[in-house]
């Protein structure tokens, strides 16, 4: 027996798998294919432990399916499209301290190597080879590396060109003016994958209410509630902010300095004329374009000049925020005087209600503020009160009579039409803004821009319908993500699919543009099936007709290329993708795009089979952050703990879709547990064990029955991607059974040695997907070959009866121990009283009649012998009904077949040894102590002497 050395064992198996091409499958019609993919990495930095979990989950499933006899393809590639890598290179070349710190201190890039990272692909290749690929191999990922590629490869670009030419010809692409996320630093559109902050930000189209100064200058004020225009009582500006007068599309406007840049990006022609201070605007009056009334401009420090136009209209009757702000301004007469405002003019401002909503009075905002006890703008309850009122008014608010044709309508029904009406009248304009701050990975601010661009028409009704069908027919893990997919499909609109520069594929018909990262990663799974066989075909020959023949068959083109038709056979062998694994946060873009594109480009048999989404990782309770150095590198974790320990901890910490927390102390515990497992396993392997099944005792059959239940649980869990449930059952759960077995059994018996070997062999196979190095090493030591099959339930050892009987012994042992602890004395004699026969008759009646005391008593009292026992029967029946309640028919039937006295009798010597006391099993009828009368079926009475 040797001590377990992870480094040696893991190196041995890595080398063997590589030399034997263990994970390099080619089509074999005799085996059922399974195709598993995971979101390919974006190597703009190093790999951390969170990534390790992402890629290990599908590997566990891939290994499980191989053990079940299926032919599994699990490939990997590298996503380098776009500008994040280019931005990282620029920050390196500019010697930005934070970038240098991340590279040197977090990812341990040698100083002598930094120069090699000063080209985009040099940067990418470094992290691909020295981080991702090396770590994936160290973790034992069962990847077919022959199919590896990057999204900047010429042949891959030919494939993407085919995809987009096909989509354009089918009308799924369109050129037009469209709001896009625009990096003001890189001066080009960006998408979700390019963002450092604001990944979930949405475009919000504000109505600009065209208030005006006395000289006709438009002072636009942005709102998402245009119906409140008639309730405006005043405006707010930041007195310390900078504002500008400018010609906007040929007319004079006054907006914040920051708004000028936003408006320029939204196709406005602008000429700035002069800067003015916010202070100079305070006290001015502006005319409401709908009511014609003048309202006063007041000072407010809460105004954000970087939001929309920097001028805010106030509707205190329907906005708790505005109501509280107005009260605070009224209360600060001294400050008003500083701005030359007569406090009486402000005191005269009263809220103007413009709608009614059930549950609120004439001034809903005032009611909301008072009901929440809000006294200032700093009160956290103000946000909640505002949200509640806005929601109620939107769904239930009814507009007042002054709204003319919209009077009597709910806000929900009238808002869009009312906004369009006033826009036609010239009272309203519009601009876009984000729902939250958005920052590019390069560090630049991201704003909304309107640009002429090519976009994917995800808003097409028939395309949405096809995507919904794809969701309906696929498996979703966890099940509740199906609703998220459908919701995303419903709200998804046009998606800009190009950018001005970056790595990746040029738009085939307009090579000034590059297809953006989320748009060139929707069907690359199909490319995996043929990637390793395209190298012999000249790039220029991978044209539209080649891929049409490959994916649509010989009838799709006039003269199909035979090489394409050969590749078609491999594609059809592997497709569809059986399981796609990716982060839950990608449902709102990548994963839904994946469904859209498959539904458009391929026939239903090739649509995705299932999607498993995964949660996020924490490190010692906090979010991981490369920029802050708060990460664990897989290489360091593997060096310290071993790859199997890293894998096993990550898979036991939570189910794949749940968030998990990497904690060093718990990882160390996991390593210790695996070492103990290996130690015990090698001891069993070294024992002289019978080849044929010897005679088995009941306790042996109990452990073998528990093994079958564990195999069933683990198999069922693996089919649902419940990797934690499966590994917990196979490892931790079964360790509890083994601890009990070792207490109960003479493990030197031939039957026990045989049982323990059978159990070990099955457990090693169950654990092989999770800890492949350790499991294969042990399996080879036990059988002479690596683990090659998943264990099946052996019906001969399925025995619920013996499981139930042994559970009675467990419960009796626990009861005796509890009593001993309570009396705090060492027992000399333990008397166990088994219930009288008539009580078992009563239990059988409970099983037959059901868990209802009255019905059972009605049947039992028809027996004169039972009637003679009087109240005792009623007490026993009440206890038995409680025992039976909640148990299924199968369990109750098992109990009726149990010979309880015999079960305890066979455990008599065990109990005597456990408590170092004399033990007697006695029938209630023969007992000489009153305690015996308290015995119930399956709950014996115990007396300690």
């Amino acid at each position: 027996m040797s001590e377990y050395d992870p480094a040696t064992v893991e190196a041995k198996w890595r080398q063997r798998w590589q030399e034997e091409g263990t994970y390099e499958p080619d089509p074999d019609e005799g085996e059922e294919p399974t195709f598993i993919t995971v979101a390919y990495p974006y190597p703009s930095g190093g790999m951390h432990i969170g990534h390790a979990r992402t890629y290990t989950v599908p590997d566990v499933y891939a290994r499980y399916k191989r053990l079940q006899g299926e032919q599994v393809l699990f490939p990997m590639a590298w996503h380098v499209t776009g500008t994040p890598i280019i931005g990282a290179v620029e920050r390196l070349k500019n010697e930005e301290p934070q970038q240098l710190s991340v590279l040197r201190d977090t990812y341990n890039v040698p100083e002598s190597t930094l120069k090699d990272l000063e080209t985009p692909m040099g940067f990418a290749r470094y992290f691909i080879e020295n981080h991702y690929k090396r770590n994936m191999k160290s973790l034992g990922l069962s990847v077919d590396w022959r199919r590896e590629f990057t999204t900047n490869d010429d042949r891959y670009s030919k494939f993407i060109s085919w995809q987009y030419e096909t989509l354009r010809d089918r009308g799924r692409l369109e050129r037009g003016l469209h709001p896009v996320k625009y990096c003001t630093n890189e001066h080009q559109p960006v998408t979700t994958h390019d963002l450092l902050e604001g990944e979930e930000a949405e475009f919000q189209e504000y109505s600009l209410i065209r208030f005006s100064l006395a000289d006709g200058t438009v002072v636009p004020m942005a709102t998402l509630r245009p119906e409140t225009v008639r309730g405006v009582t005043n405006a707010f500006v930041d007195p310390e902010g900078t504002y500008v007068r400018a010609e906007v599309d040929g007319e004079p406007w006054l907006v914040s300095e920051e708004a000028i840049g936003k408006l320029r990006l939204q196709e406005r022609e602008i000429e700035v004329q002069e800067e003015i201070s916010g202070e100079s605007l305070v006290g001015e009056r502006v005319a409401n374009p709908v009511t014609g009334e003048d309202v006063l401009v007041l000072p407010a420090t809460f105004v954000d000049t970087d939001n929309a136009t920097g001028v805010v209209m106030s509707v205190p009757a329907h906005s708790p925020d505005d109501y509280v702000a107005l009260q605070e301004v009224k209360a600060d007469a001294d400050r008003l005087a500083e701005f030359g405002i007569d406090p009486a003019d402000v005191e005269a401002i009263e809220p103007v209600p413009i709608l009614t909503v059930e549950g609120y009075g004439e001034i809903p905002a005032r009611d909301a503020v008072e009901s929440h006890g809000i006294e200032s703008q700093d009160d956290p309850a103000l946000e909640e009160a505002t949200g509640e009122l806005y929601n109620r008014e939107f769904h239930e608010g009814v507009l007042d009579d002054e709204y003319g044709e919209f009077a009597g309508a709910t806000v929900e029904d009238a808002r869009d039409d009312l906004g369009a009406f006033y826009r036609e009248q010239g009272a309203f304009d519009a601009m876009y803004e984000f729902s939250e701050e958005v920052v590019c990975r390069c560090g630049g601010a991201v704003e909304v821009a309107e640009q002429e661009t090519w976009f994917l028409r995800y808003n097409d009704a028939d395309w949405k319908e096809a995507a919904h069908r794809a969701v309906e027919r696929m498996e979703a893990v966890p099940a509740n993500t199906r609703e998220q997919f459908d919701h995303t499909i419903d709200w998804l609109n046009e998606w800009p699919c190009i950018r001005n520069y970056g790595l990746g594929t040029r738009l085939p018909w307009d090579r000034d543009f590059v297809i953006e990262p989320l748009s060139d990663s929707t069907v690359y799974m199909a490319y995996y099936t043929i990637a390793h066989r395209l190298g012999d075909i000249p790039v220029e020959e991978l044209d539209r007709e080649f891929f049409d023949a490959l994916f649509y068959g010989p009838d799709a083109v006039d003269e199909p290329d035979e090489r394409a038709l050969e590749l078609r056979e491999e594609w059809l062998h592997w497709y569809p993708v059986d399981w796609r694994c990716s982060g839950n946060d990608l449902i709102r873009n990548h994963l839904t795009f994946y469904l859209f594109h498959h539904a458009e480009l391929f026939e239903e048999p090739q649509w995705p089979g299932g999607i498993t989404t995964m949660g996020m990782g924490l490190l010692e309770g906090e979010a991981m952050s490369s920029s802050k150095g708060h990460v664990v590198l897989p290489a360091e974790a593997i060096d310290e703990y071993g790859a199997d320990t890293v894998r096993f901890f990550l898979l036991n910490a939570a189910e794949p879709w749940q968030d998990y927390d990497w904690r060093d102390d718990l990882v160390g515990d996991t390593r210790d547990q695996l070492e103990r497992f290996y130690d015990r396993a090698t001891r069993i392997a070294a024992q002289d064990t019978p080849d044929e099944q010897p005679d088995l005792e009941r306790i042996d059959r109990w452990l073998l029955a528990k093994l079958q239940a564990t195999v069933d649980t683990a198999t069922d869990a693996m089919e649902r991607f419940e990797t934690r449930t499966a590994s917990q059952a196979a490892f931790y759960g079964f360790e509890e059974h083994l601890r009990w077995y070792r207490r109960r059994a003479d493990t030197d018996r031939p039957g026990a040695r045989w049982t323990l070997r059978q159990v070990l062999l099955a457990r090693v196979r169950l654990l092989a997907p999770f800890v492949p190095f350790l499991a294969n090493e042990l399996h080879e030591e036990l059988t002479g070959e690596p683990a090659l099959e998943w264990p099946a339930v052996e019906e001969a050892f399925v025995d619920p009866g013996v499981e139930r009987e042994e559970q009675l012994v467990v419960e009796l042992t626990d009861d005796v121990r509890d009593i001993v602890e309570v009396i705090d004395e060492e027992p000399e004699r333990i008397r166990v009283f088994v219930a009288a026969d008539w009580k078992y008759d009563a239990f059988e009646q409970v099983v037959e009649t059901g868990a209802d005391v009255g019905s059972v008593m009605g049947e039992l009292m028809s027996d004169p012998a039972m009637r003679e026992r009087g109240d005792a029967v009623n007490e026993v029946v009440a206890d038995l009904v409680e025992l039976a309640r909640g148990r299924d028919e199968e369990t109750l039937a098992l109990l009726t077949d149990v010979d309880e006295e015999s079960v305890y009798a066979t455990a008599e010597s065990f109990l005597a040894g456990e408590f170092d006391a004399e033990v007697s099993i006695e029938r209630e009828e023969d007992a000489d102590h009153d305690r015996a009368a308290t015995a119930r079926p399956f709950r014996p009475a115990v007396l300690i002497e």
Side-chain angles (χ1 to χ4, degrees):
M1 184 186 70
S2 59
E3 185 177 337
Y4 182 57
D5 178 11
T8 301
V9 171
E10 290 165 8
K12 163 190 166 181
W13 285 99
R14 285 188 206 105
Q15 183 177 354
R16 183 187 296 189
W17 293 331
Q18 182 173 335
E19 290 175 352
E20 296 178 357
T22 306
Y23 307 120
E24 298 176 356
D26 292 314
D28 183 341
E29 295 304 325
E31 295 182 307
E32 183 70 22
T34 295
F35 186 13
I36 303 164
T37 70
V38 63
Y40 47 17
Y42 198 98
S44 58
M47 180 177 177
H48 58 63
I49 206 69
H51 300 123
R53 195 242 201 171
T54 296
Y55 301 116
T56 303
V57 168
D59 179 68
V60 168
Y61 189 79
R63 288 180 175 279
Y64 161 68
K65 281 299 179 181
R66 287 193 195 94
L67 291 172
Q68 286 200 318
E70 297 186 13
Q71 187 183 37
V72 177
L73 174 59
F74 178 37
M76 191 64 63
W78 316 104
H79 197 196
V80 300
T81 302
T83 60
I85 292 173
I86 294 174
V89 170
E90 290 304 311
R91 292 194 295 278
L92 168 61
K93 291 164 71 174
N94 292 335
E95 298 185 348
E96 294 182 12
Q98 185 178 28
Q99 177 72 339
L100 289 172
S101 175
V102 168
L103 294 175
R104 290 169 176 159
D105 305 330
T106 302
Y107 292 122
N108 304 322
V109 179
E111 195 71 30
S112 59
T113 304
L114 288 174
K115 195 70 178 176
D116 298 336
L117 275 60
E118 291 187 357
T119 66
M121 287 309 297
F123 192 101
R125 279 291 170 202
Y126 176 83
F127 283 107
I128 288 170
E129 297 298 332
N130 294 283
H131 276 254
Y132 283 96
K133 194 171 180 180
R134 177 178 295 176
N135 287 325
M136 288 176 177
K137 288 185 174 183
S138 295
L139 285 164
L141 300 194
S142 53
V143 168
D144 183 351
W145 290 108
R146 298 173 303 163
R147 301 168 191 265
E148 174 187 14
F149 61 87
T150 80
T151 58
N152 204 48
D153 293 352
D154 290 342
R155 287 176 173 80
Y156 183 75
S157 289
K158 286 288 190 178
F159 167 71
I160 297 300
S161 294
W162 163 81
Q163 176 187 355
Y164 275 82
E165 286 173 339
T166 303
L167 291 170
R168 179 194 61 181
D169 291 351
R170 295 187 180 189
R172 298 309 189 191
L173 278 169
E174 185 171 299
R175 186 178 177 89
L177 197 63
H178 192 274
V180 299
K181 298 181 177 76
Y182 187 88
C183 176
T184 57
N185 183 45
E186 295 180 346
H187 303 293
Q188 69 162 347
V190 292
T191 58
T192 307
H193 268 24
D194 305 309
L195 302 181
L196 186 65
E197 298 177 19
E199 293 93 337
E200 298 189 8
E202 297 180 358
F203 296 119
Q204 293 183 319
E205 186 176 17
Y206 280 88
S207 291
L208 294 184
I209 313 303
R210 290 167 54 89
F211 287 82
S212 58
L213 293 166
D215 64 2
T217 299
V218 176
V219 185
M221 303 185 199
T223 181
L224 294 171
R225 302 195 302 153
E227 70 281 356
T228 61
V229 63
R230 289 182 174 274
V232 176
T233 61
N234 61 279
F236 288 116
V237 296
D238 178 6
E240 298 180 1
T242 300
Y243 291 79
V244 298
R245 289 180 177 272
E247 287 287 327
V248 178
D249 295 335
E251 65 177 350
W253 279 30
L254 190 153
V255 295
S256 69
E257 183 179 39
E258 294 90 336
I260 290 296
K262 299 173 187 282
L263 292 168
R264 278 199 174 111
L265 287 173
Q266 295 179 32
E267 293 293 291
R268 301 280 190 171
E269 291 187 9
I270 297 176
E271 182 180 343
V272 175
Q273 296 175 331
E274 65 172 324
E275 289 186 1
I276 58 175
S277 67
E279 182 179 1
S280 67
L281 297 174
V282 175
E284 294 281 352
R285 288 187 175 272
V286 290
N288 187 318
V290 172
T291 66
E293 296 176 1
D294 288 342
V295 296
L296 191 61
V297 179
L298 299 176
T301 56
F302 64 79
V303 173
D304 181 3
T305 56
D306 194 31
N307 182 261
T309 64
V311 187
V312 178
M313 68 184 207
S314 172
V315 188
H318 300 284
S319 169
D321 283 316
D322 292 345
Y323 181 84
V324 173
L326 181 59
Q327 302 313 307
E328 291 186 356
V329 171
K330 287 183 177 183
D332 196 351
D334 291 343
R335 187 160 186 262
L336 291 174
E338 290 176 9
F339 289 102
I341 298 175
D342 185 347
D345 290 342
V346 178
E347 188 62 36
I349 297 174
E350 294 294 337
V352 178
I354 52 91
L355 58 80
T356 57
V357 59
E358 188 174 347
Y360 291 89
E362 182 183 15
I363 310 297
R366 180 175 60 203
D367 293 350
V369 167
E370 292 175 353
S371 66
H372 282 78
I374 297 166
E375 297 182 355
S376 77
Q377 293 184 75
D378 297 328
D379 194 323
L382 183 57
E383 182 177 356
E384 179 183 350
T386 300
E388 287 177 2
L389 181 58
Y390 281 10
N391 185 61
R392 286 287 303 280
E393 289 195 342
F394 177 71
H395 292 291
E396 302 172 33
V398 178
L399 294 173
D400 289 349
D401 292 343
E402 56 264 35
Y403 276 91
E405 63 180 278
F406 302 107
T410 63
V411 172
E412 184 174 14
D413 291 336
R415 176 174 289 172
D416 290 344
D417 290 341
L418 182 148
F421 172 80
Y422 285 122
R423 190 171 300 181
E424 290 177 5
Q425 300 296 314
F428 289 4
D429 209 312
M431 75 174 292
Y432 287 100
E433 185 63 279
F434 286 122
S435 56
E436 60 184 279
E437 183 181 15
V438 183
V439 179
C440 182
R441 286 185 183 273
C442 74
V446 176
E447 302 290 358
V448 181
E450 286 191 284
Q451 290 194 339
E452 276 285 329
T453 186
W454 284 94
F455 54 85
L456 289 154
R457 296 175 52 86
Y458 291 134
N459 57 326
D460 284 352
D462 61 329
W463 204 2
K464 284 182 181 288
E465 192 276 329
H468 279 302
R469 289 206 317 275
V471 172
E472 183 180 0
R473 69 191 301 278
M474 77 177 190
E475 294 186 67
V477 176
N480 62 4
T481 56
R482 196 181 302 278
E483 296 177 5
Q484 296 178 49
F485 279 108
D486 282 326
H487 174 69
T488 301
I489 290 168
D490 286 337
W491 67 252
L492 196 59
N493 214 320
E494 299 101 332
W495 181 267
C497 62
I498 59 171
R499 57 189 314 155
N500 297 339
Y501 75 97
L503 299 178
T505 301
R506 294 282 169 183
L507 195 64
W509 58 90
D510 192 345
R511 298 188 64 80
D512 287 340
F513 298 104
V514 178
I515 297 170
E516 62 89 22
L518 283 168
S519 298
D520 83 336
S521 56
T522 57
V523 292
Y524 69 88
M525 311 81 196
Y527 191 79
Y528 276 136
T529 67
I530 57 172
H532 62 309
R533 296 176 60 185
L534 289 178
D536 295 333
I537 302 173
V539 172
E540 63 272 13
E541 294 180 22
L542 297 175
D543 55 17
R544 176 80 178 275
E545 289 195 349
F546 182 92
F547 286 109
D548 277 347
L550 197 165
F551 293 116
Y552 301 137
D555 296 335
V557 297
D558 293 334
E559 297 181 9
D561 189 315
E562 288 300 322
R563 297 168 298 180
L565 296 181
E566 288 180 14
L567 291 174
R568 176 174 174 78
E569 293 301 315
E570 178 141 5
W571 175 64
L572 288 172
H573 176 79
W574 294 116
Y575 243 62
V577 178
D578 294 282
W579 283 101
R580 174 73 175 160
C581 300
S582 196
N584 183 271
D585 58 313
L586 296 182
I587 290 177
R588 65 193 313 276
N589 44 61
H590 162 70
L591 287 172
T592 301
F593 297 174
Y594 164 68
L595 296 175
F596 267 97
H597 284 250
H598 274 78
E600 176 61 36
L601 293 170
F602 304 128
E603 297 298 321
E604 285 200 26
Q606 278 73 52
W607 290 6
I611 294 177
T612 294
T613 58
M614 287 181 276
M616 307 299 288
L618 301 175
L619 172 56
E620 304 293 346
E622 296 181 8
M624 296 185 198
S625 170
S626 299
S627 62
K628 296 178 181 178
H630 190 64
V631 295
V632 171
L633 301 186
E636 294 175 355
I638 291 168
D639 285 345
E640 182 173 356
Y641 303 110
D644 278 330
T645 294
V646 172
R647 290 173 62 106
F648 206 52
F649 177 81
L650 291 172
L651 294 158
N652 270 285
E655 296 293 6
W657 53 89
Q658 297 171 332
D659 294 345
Y660 67 97
D661 191 2
W662 176 276
R663 292 186 177 272
D664 281 338
D665 58 336
L666 300 180
V667 181
D669 291 345
T670 302
R671 177 195 55 203
D672 296 343
Q673 291 156 353
L674 288 175
E675 287 178 353
R676 287 194 293 271
F677 177 81
Y678 180 84
D679 178 64
R680 291 198 184 106
T682 52
R683 291 175 187 274
I684 292 172
Q687 287 181 337
D688 182 17
T689 304
D691 293 330
E692 300 296 326
Q693 177 183 325
D695 291 338
L696 302 178
E697 294 185 0
R698 190 174 65 82
I699 192 62
D700 301 325
R701 292 192 175 278
W702 170 80
L703 187 63
L704 291 167
K706 284 296 185 184
L707 176 64
Q708 309 317 308
T710 298
V711 169
D712 186 56
T713 296
T715 304
D716 184 59
M718 287 299 294
E719 288 297 321
R720 298 195 303 272
F721 262 90
E722 294 175 1
T723 52
R724 182 179 189 274
T725 298
S727 59
Q728 288 274 329
F731 192 78
Y732 297 104
F734 207 87
E735 283 296 316
E736 292 294 323
H737 303 325
L738 280 171
R739 276 191 280 274
W740 178 254
Y741 178 79
R742 293 188 188 103
R743 289 166 62 186
R744 288 279 281 124
D746 173 8
T747 56
D748 289 332
R749 289 181 298 106
R753 292 201 302 272
W754 184 87
T755 297
L756 286 171
R757 188 180 183 90
Q758 297 305 306
V759 164
L760 174 61
L761 193 59
R763 290 183 74 204
V764 165
R765 291 170 179 166
L766 290 174
L767 292 170
F770 303 92
V771 286
F773 302 105
L774 180 148
N776 278 285
E777 183 74 7
L778 286 174
H779 199 279
E780 190 166 68
E781 190 169 339
L782 287 164
T783 69
E785 62 182 13
L788 298 174
E789 62 180 344
W790 183 259
V793 172
E794 296 184 68
E795 295 298 331
F797 294 120
V798 175
D799 196 336
V802 78
E803 289 188 71
R804 182 63 253 178
E805 290 172 358
E806 192 60 24
Q807 184 59 32
L808 291 175
V809 178
V810 172
E811 291 168 0
L812 174 58
T813 305
D814 290 343
D815 288 346
V816 172
R817 192 172 306 283
D818 289 343
I819 295 170
V820 169
E821 289 179 359
V822 169
I823 65 175
D824 196 23
E825 291 183 10
E826 293 297 323
E828 294 182 2
R829 184 185 183 196
I830 301 171
R831 300 176 67 183
V832 178
F833 303 112
V834 180
D837 288 343
W838 70 267
K839 295 180 180 178
Y840 289 96
D841 293 338
F843 177 72
E844 290 180 3
Q845 189 63 59
V846 170
V847 174
E848 180 180 341
T849 304
D852 180 88
V853 174
S855 299
V856 173
M857 289 298 296
E859 294 293 333
L860 290 177
M861 288 300 101
S862 64
D863 181 347
M866 287 289 185
R867 285 201 301 273
E868 288 182 8
R869 299 184 184 278
D871 292 341
V873 178
N874 194 57
E875 292 176 8
V876 168
V877 168
D879 290 343
L880 294 177
V881 164
E882 188 63 31
L883 172 71
R885 186 171 287 124
R887 299 176 187 258
D888 58 36
E889 292 182 6
E890 182 179 357
T891 300
L892 294 174
L894 287 172
L895 286 172
T896 59
D897 292 336
V898 170
D899 182 347
E900 194 173 358
E901 182 181 6
S902 173
V903 169
Y904 297 143
T906 60
E908 193 171 317
S909 61
F910 160 70
L911 291 167
E914 279 285 298
F915 297 101
D916 192 23
E918 178 188 344
V919 175
S920 63
I921 311 300
E922 306 175 37
R923 297 169 59 85
E924 179 184 341
E925 296 97 323
D926 304 330
D928 59 0
H929 196 284
D930 292 344
R931 179 69 57 81
T934 64
R936 300 287 186 266
F938 321 114
R939 282 170 50 196
V942 177
L943 179 65
I944 306 295
E945 297 179 340

